[in-house]
Amino acid sequence: MQPSLFPSPGVSPAPSPVNRQVLNASQFEAATTVDGPVLVIAGAGSGKTRTLVYRVAHLVESGVAPEKILLLTFTRKAAEEMLSRASGLLNDSVRHVTGGTFHAVANKLLRRHGAGLGFAPNFTILDQGDAEGIINLIKSSLGLGAAGKRFPNKHTIVAVLSKSVNRSMALADLLDDQYPHLADFAGDLRRINEDYRKFKLEHGLMDYDDLLVNWQRLLSDEFDLRPTIAGLFSHIMVDEYQDTNQIQAAIVRGMALDHHNVMVVGDDAQSIYSFRGADFRNIMDFPAIFPHTRIIRLEENYRSTQPILSLTNGIIAQATEKYTKQLFSTITEGEPPVIHGARDEAGQARFVVDRITALHRQGIPLSDIAVLFRSGFHSYKLELELTNRQIPFEKRGGLKLTESAHVKDVIAYLRVVTNPADRLSWNRILLLLDKVGPKTARLVLDAVRGAEDPVAALKAYPAGPGWKKGLHGLADTLASLHDPGLAPSGQLDLLLEYYRPLFERIYYDDYPRRGSDLEHLRTILAGYDTLQHFIDDTALEPPQAATDGTADYGAGGDRLILSTIHSAKGLEWDTVFVIHLAEGAFPSPQSFQPEQREEERRLLYVAATRAKQRLYLTYPREIMAVDRSYHHGALTPFLADLPAGLYRAEGGGDFAAPGFADRCATPRFPASASRSRSPVRQQGGDADGFPVGTEVRHNFFGQGTVRAIAGPRTVEVFFPRHGVKTLHLDYAKLERLDP
């Protein structure tokens, strides 16, 4: 008999590698609460994954059939990891638990039950590029956006339509709220949206949003399928519930309507994805939607030192609406967080790089250090400084593998094999043939569409002499790909034999570089047993390219991480720098509404809780505007209002910041208040032999005059041809011109 993972209090556990002692009291309560609605408020680094793993194992051990358990996560990897760990605790029966992303589970359900909505089981899932291509076709067919006529482009239209779905807003309301400049196009956008919906239905297509919308439709009163769909699962768990949108929350309600055995896990303080449609209200209103909800707080943090947690607790304590919690750690010792007010953006960059260099010399790998920022352009000065110092770094982002044109070509061929009604993919592969343009492709498609054997119809088409050979080659290849004895990897090998000459012709300039992507695709496909599974996964959660272009940097791949805060959520590093924390930059100047500012507060909280041992929070006291004027950069109010004992104040290394030790007591001007230079500038005085009025020469700027002392060994010099420059005497190599 399998020993119990959860022995009752006071009962000696049966011999087992795991028992109650591996969970703290709150984790144990969450893992062993089986029935009824449960809301687990899981603070940063509090072991929520471990809690979910043990709850899955406990449900199965308690007699719940694994196939009656649904685990919804926001990445496929998270679901696979949780179920694998739960299997290690119990047995392989746990692998029968249904786990995955909302979109992946929707895909499975709709392939089984989508006929009632008018979809065949072999529907194709559209990615962003596919959707934009269809929108462009529809826009042209309606005569919109013709030459000389202003009209939103395909990318904007797709974004508007998607936001309307994900935010559950009527199109007109969304335009009024976020796109008022497009309000005049509301009628045309509605026509496009309706034609887009019909096109997808007629051709067996769904985009990402359709997967969720159609899952919700299966649960609606419009059909008689809700009891069947909801009855598939008796216990539901949802990870990262603070990131759900209104449709996902409605799906959870519909699936749990009959039994209320639903546990959602999340952290209201880490709700930062409203721009993707995530709704903060979902987690806040859960107890009202599910009466008698049991709320369990996970507050013990296993990641960070207590000094870091004390500061992060202070940041979120000022939130206007929250589930109150206090993160604590057994790691009581540690360096206090540092708030550093640099002279300007260049000074901020120098400070960060100096500290990183010192930490690296102490043995901290660069890969265990991260610099986080609100917006991508906030790191530009830092990137220049890192490059000058020859410090390797990786800036997170870039195209996914399946967003590159040549890989999309290959996937289009494979999509036609799995769904011959996929007109969009047919169009793409026909246009790859020499001497075939949009008009010819459309004529071929009309002939192939509806044929009992589309490939035979393709070969029988009366092609012109200039492209007949190419068309027959395509038809023969597609026929070969239908061989039932071929594994997906064998299908790809056969396809690449046909595609490579086209590939080298179309992408002549850089096909050797692109070829490595096709080899990487071959490796990925080797892990699939059916082509349909691969096609689904490339749409639902595209695999990443093998390299982001920085693979040659650093010895052994040791690179500093630069990342936006949004991209850093869920990750952790030994040392974290959060830069550009100046009022007017953080919160974002676009955050006008109170709820937007509150999300910005949560964004800073997420950034600070990524740090394990050291946390540096920096801001420039001077920010250069587009017109090259300087603006005072006051510390973000999210930090300026914290008690002084929660951090150590530094005034910018070589530049003293008067009053900063008293919590930035210098006057706080509005971000738009323009002025000439820093308030620490002295009109008189000396800087190691360079008093105000001294004539000097610089190797690049030429002859100039010292106008002010900007700090220790730092002077401001006016150069007639270059204006005022702030120079540090240790680096500038100024030559004094004696009278």
Side-chain angles (χ1 to χ4, degrees):
M1 180 178 175
Q2 176 73 26
S4 175
L5 301 176
F6 303 94
S8 301
V11 177
S12 298
S16 173
V18 291
N19 55 50
R20 180 178 183 173
Q21 295 174 347
V22 301
L23 301 176
N24 63 40
S26 296
Q27 292 172 336
F28 182 82
E29 181 184 1
T32 56
T33 301
V34 174
D35 299 321
V38 181
L39 170 60
V40 178
I41 301 299
S46 62
K48 71 177 178 66
T49 298
R50 176 192 294 181
T51 303
L52 284 168
V53 166
Y54 273 83
R55 188 170 195 266
V56 170
H58 179 65
L59 287 172
V60 175
E61 186 186 42
S62 300
V64 178
E67 57 272 14
K68 300 291 285 183
I69 300 172
L70 174 62
L71 172 63
L72 292 168
T73 61
F74 272 80
T75 66
R76 179 178 58 190
K77 181 179 178 182
E80 290 174 348
E81 178 189 349
M82 290 181 197
L83 295 183
S84 176
R85 288 171 58 181
S87 295
L89 292 176
L90 203 58
N91 54 55
D92 282 344
S93 67
V94 174
R95 295 194 178 274
H96 294 291
V97 170
T98 297
T101 65
F102 276 89
H103 292 86
V105 173
N107 172 56
K108 292 179 182 178
L109 293 176
L110 289 165
R111 292 200 185 278
R112 295 176 194 166
H113 305 282
L117 308 182
F119 287 94
N122 64 339
F123 63 80
T124 293
I125 302 171
L126 302 172
D127 65 14
Q128 176 85 6
D130 297 330
E132 290 179 359
I134 296 173
I135 291 296
N136 221 30
L137 289 173
I138 294 171
K139 188 173 74 168
S140 298
S141 70
L142 294 175
L144 303 171
K149 181 179 179 181
R150 295 178 61 85
F151 198 81
N153 62 38
K154 60 184 180 181
H155 178 77
T156 300
I157 296 171
V158 169
V160 169
L161 299 184
S162 181
K163 279 189 177 182
S164 175
V165 173
N166 281 286
R167 300 198 176 192
S168 300
M169 295 178 68
L171 188 58
D173 293 338
L174 179 71
L175 293 176
D176 287 343
D177 183 54
Q178 296 191 30
Y179 301 90
H181 59 294
L182 302 181
D184 291 343
F185 303 113
D188 290 333
L189 290 174
R190 277 195 296 270
R191 290 171 62 199
I192 289 174
N193 193 28
E194 181 59 23
D195 284 5
Y196 179 46
R197 184 191 65 78
K198 291 178 180 177
F199 185 97
K200 289 182 290 183
L201 186 60
E202 290 172 1
H203 296 92
L205 307 171
M206 289 192 205
D207 60 25
Y208 296 146
D209 300 329
D210 292 327
L211 292 171
L212 299 184
V213 169
N214 287 327
W215 185 0
Q216 186 184 14
R217 288 178 66 200
L218 290 176
L219 297 168
S220 69
D221 295 335
E222 181 183 356
F223 305 95
D224 297 327
L225 291 168
R226 197 200 68 77
T228 300
I229 304 300
L232 293 171
F233 306 104
S234 64
H235 290 77
I236 299 170
M237 286 172 282
V238 187
D239 191 18
E240 303 286 6
Y241 194 68
Q242 78 281 347
D243 293 337
T244 55
N245 62 28
Q246 289 187 27
I247 297 176
Q248 290 163 328
I251 288 170
V252 172
R253 285 198 303 274
M255 294 295 290
L257 194 61
D258 296 332
H259 52 69
H260 283 202
N261 295 329
V262 55
M263 171 184 280
V264 299
V265 181
D267 185 3
D268 56 296
Q270 297 188 68
S271 179
I272 59 173
Y273 292 122
S274 66
F275 67 94
R276 295 180 184 170
D279 194 336
F280 177 69
R281 298 259 39 102
N282 288 346
I283 194 167
M284 300 308 297
D285 295 343
F286 185 85
I289 293 168
F290 288 95
H292 311 297
T293 291
R294 187 170 183 174
I295 300 177
I296 301 171
R297 291 172 171 82
L298 305 185
E299 298 176 292
E300 183 172 357
N301 177 285
Y302 296 91
R303 172 192 300 158
S304 308
T305 65
Q306 189 57 53
I308 291 174
L309 295 179
S310 296
L311 182 134
T312 60
N313 286 337
I315 292 172
I316 207 63
Q318 304 171 67
T320 56
E321 187 176 9
K322 61 186 177 295
Y323 288 103
T324 301
K325 60 182 178 297
Q326 284 289 316
L327 296 184
F328 66 93
S329 172
T330 58
I331 312 171
T332 56
E333 301 298 323
E335 299 180 16
V338 171
I339 296 181
H340 177 91
R343 164 83 178 213
D344 51 22
E345 293 178 70
Q348 176 180 245
R350 287 193 297 271
F351 167 77
V352 170
V353 176
D354 286 345
R355 288 295 169 96
I356 289 171
T357 302
L359 290 168
H360 190 48
R361 287 172 180 165
Q362 295 170 20
I364 307 297
L366 290 176
S367 58
D368 214 1
I369 304 173
V371 183
L372 308 181
F373 32 84
R374 174 64 181 82
S375 302
F377 62 86
H378 286 163
S379 70
Y380 289 168
K381 289 279 188 183
L382 177 62
E383 291 172 45
L384 291 173
E385 187 72 18
L386 290 168
T387 301
N388 290 337
R389 305 265 198 112
Q390 298 184 319
I391 296 176
F393 65 89
E394 171 189 340
K395 188 171 183 180
R396 293 286 166 88
L399 286 176
K400 291 183 173 67
L401 179 64
T402 49
E403 292 174 342
S404 54
H406 51 296
V407 176
K408 287 177 74 70
D409 291 345
V410 172
I411 291 176
Y413 290 106
L414 300 178
R415 281 180 166 183
V416 166
V417 173
T418 60
N419 179 13
D422 185 349
R423 188 180 178 94
L424 192 70
S425 293
W426 271 112
N427 189 65
R428 185 181 188 98
I429 65 177
L430 286 171
L431 289 176
L432 294 175
L433 297 176
D434 193 21
K435 301 188 184 304
V436 173
K439 183 178 179 180
T440 302
R442 187 161 54 249
L443 292 173
V444 175
L445 283 172
D446 289 341
V448 170
R449 181 182 180 186
E452 184 175 343
D453 186 346
V455 175
L458 182 70
K459 191 162 186 177
Y461 187 85
W467 54 283
K468 183 175 182 178
K469 182 179 178 181
L471 188 71
H472 285 184
L474 172 60
D476 290 340
T477 299
L478 292 175
S480 300
L481 292 175
H482 280 90
D483 184 348
L486 283 176
S489 56
Q491 290 174 295
L492 180 64
D493 288 341
L494 188 63
L495 172 59
L496 291 182
E497 287 182 22
Y498 162 80
Y499 175 67
R500 193 167 295 280
L502 299 177
F503 166 69
E504 293 181 359
R505 172 177 60 83
I506 297 167
Y507 305 105
Y508 176 78
D509 288 342
D510 62 350
Y511 75 81
R513 178 186 64 81
R514 291 173 181 260
S516 62
D517 290 341
L518 299 181
E519 292 304 312
H520 185 55
L521 192 63
R522 189 196 304 267
T523 303
I524 294 172
L525 205 63
Y528 286 85
D529 55 356
T530 72
L531 195 57
Q532 185 67 66
H533 287 160
F534 167 73
I535 295 296
D536 288 346
D537 283 349
T538 57
L540 291 167
E541 193 168 342
Q544 298 291 329
T547 174
D548 57 10
T550 56
D552 294 336
Y553 289 141
D558 186 26
R559 292 170 290 168
L560 175 72
I561 303 299
L562 308 185
S563 176
T564 62
I565 301 171
H566 286 102
S567 297
K569 184 174 176 289
L571 303 176
E572 59 185 48
W573 292 272
D574 177 272
T575 302
V576 170
F577 295 80
V578 189
I579 64 173
H580 227 81
L581 292 172
E583 188 172 15
F586 206 131
S588 164
Q590 281 74 46
S591 301
F592 302 114
Q593 303 299 324
E595 60 270 19
Q596 294 173 325
R597 290 181 64 84
E598 285 303 299
E599 181 163 327
E600 294 285 300
R601 184 193 309 280
R602 298 193 294 269
L603 192 63
L604 178 56
Y605 175 84
V606 166
T609 53
R610 302 307 96 199
K612 295 192 288 187
Q613 296 291 328
R614 300 170 193 83
L615 175 63
Y616 295 90
L617 306 162
T618 74
Y619 76 104
R621 300 198 312 276
E622 283 188 349
I623 301 174
M624 181 181 286
V626 177
D627 62 359
R628 300 187 66 80
S629 63
Y630 282 84
H631 305 280
H632 178 67
L635 181 64
T636 172
F638 300 148
L639 293 176
D641 296 333
L642 291 177
L646 296 180
Y647 58 83
R648 184 173 75 246
E650 293 185 359
D654 287 335
F655 329 110
F660 187 86
D662 295 324
R663 296 180 57 249
C664 309
T666 52
R668 296 178 58 189
F669 302 102
S672 59
S674 180
R675 59 192 194 79
S676 58
R677 295 301 301 174
S678 168
V680 301
R681 182 186 58 186
Q682 302 172 22
Q683 296 298 332
D686 195 343
D688 294 333
F690 287 85
V692 172
T694 302
E695 297 294 317
V696 296
R697 175 177 286 122
H698 185 272
N699 287 339
F700 178 78
F701 299 125
Q703 187 170 331
T705 305
V706 175
R707 295 211 1 206
I709 308 302
R713 295 192 55 73
T714 306
V715 294
E716 287 183 1
V717 182
F718 172 73
F719 297 97
R721 297 183 61 183
H722 298 278
V724 177
K725 301 294 177 183
T726 301
L727 304 173
H728 195 288
L729 297 178
D730 290 339
Y731 309 112
K733 309 299 183 187
L734 283 180
E735 176 188 355
R736 178 170 176 159
L737 300 177
D738 292 322

